[in-house]
């Protein structure tokens, strides 16, 4: 993947004009921006960035790369901030092999030293069984059978 391609977070911008700058160290201004850049980091398997943007108190000691989950779509449902705390509710659609799932989470964020960090969240995972004529879960707007469900 190059930075001239569409950003994985679904913003409609290129990766260069969107999440890449945060992956390179620029501070994300809002919890939503940080959430998008973290989602893109999951897509691109940037585990160092994921750890660096985790609040110190809840940061995992190590974060092994996940080669089996393919994240295909992000929907931000709600987000906001008050003083140094923030929240983002999102839905992330993924594929594990040929199995579809949706992870929905209300994430909490904290601002420390002027930077936002991911604190924690309560994820719920729902399995999807897209019908052949249903809209494709990847968000392409096409039918499943003529998109990710083809072949
Ligand atoms: Zn982005
Ligand atoms: Zn699709």
């Amino acid at each position: 993947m190059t930075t001239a391609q569409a950003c994985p977070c679904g913003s409609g911008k290129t990766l260069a004009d969107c999440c890449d700058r945060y992956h390179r160290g620029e501070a994300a201004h809002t919890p939503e921006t940080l959430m998008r850049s973290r989602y893109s980091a999951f897509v691109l398997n940037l585990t160092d960035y994921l750890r660096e943007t985790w609040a110190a108190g809840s940061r995992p000691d190590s974060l092994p790369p996940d080669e089996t989950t393919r994240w295909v779509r992000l929907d931000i449902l709600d987000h906001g901030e008050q003083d140094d705390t923030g929240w983002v509710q999102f839905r992330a659609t993924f594929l594990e092999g040929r199995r579809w799932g949706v992870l929905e989470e209300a994430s909490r964020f904290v601002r420390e030293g002027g930077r936002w960090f991911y604190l924690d969240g309560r994820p719920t995972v729902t399995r999807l069984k897209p019908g052949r004529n249903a809209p494709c879960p990847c968000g392409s707007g096409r039918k499943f059978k003529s998109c990710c469900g083809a072949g």
Side-chain angles (χ1 to χ4, degrees):
M1 177 157 193
T2 74
T3 55
Q5 287 177 271
C7 191
C9 80
S11 62
K13 294 185 269 192
T14 62
L15 178 58
D17 286 337
C18 191
C19 296
D20 184 59
R21 71 183 77 167
Y22 308 116
H23 297 161
R24 290 171 183 278
E26 196 176 304
H29 307 297
T30 65
E32 187 212 356
T33 313
L34 181 62
M35 170 59 224
R36 286 184 170 279
S37 70
R38 284 175 51 85
Y39 173 84
S40 294
F42 272 109
V43 173
L44 301 169
N45 249 327
L46 303 175
T47 50
D48 285 348
Y49 181 76
L50 292 168
R51 286 195 72 244
E52 285 161 15
T53 53
W54 220 300
S58 56
R59 180 181 300 159
D61 291 334
S62 68
L63 202 62
D66 182 348
E67 310 286 355
T68 58
T69 307
R70 191 157 71 83
W71 299 96
V72 296
R73 178 180 177 181
L74 173 69
D75 296 293
I76 305 279
L77 307 177
D78 187 32
H79 62 93
E81 58 186 274
Q82 188 169 30
D83 302 324
D84 287 335
T85 59
W87 63 92
V88 178
Q89 190 179 358
F90 68 92
R91 200 180 283 150
T93 306
F94 62 90
L95 256 174
E96 261 172 358
R98 297 181 69 88
R99 299 198 326 151
W100 288 85
V102 173
L103 182 151
E104 191 167 328
E105 178 176 309
S107 301
R108 297 193 302 159
F109 295 81
V110 287
R111 185 160 49 191
E112 292 167 359
R115 291 183 91 103
W116 286 102
F117 294 88
Y118 173 75
L119 183 62
D120 58 17
R122 289 179 319 248
T124 54
V125 172
T126 312
R127 293 290 165 188
L128 290 183
K129 281 204 167 63
R132 288 178 48 73
N133 289 308
C136 190
C138 78
S140 65
R142 288 183 285 159
K143 288 182 179 177
F144 180 59
K145 67 180 179 187
S146 55
C147 188
C148 301

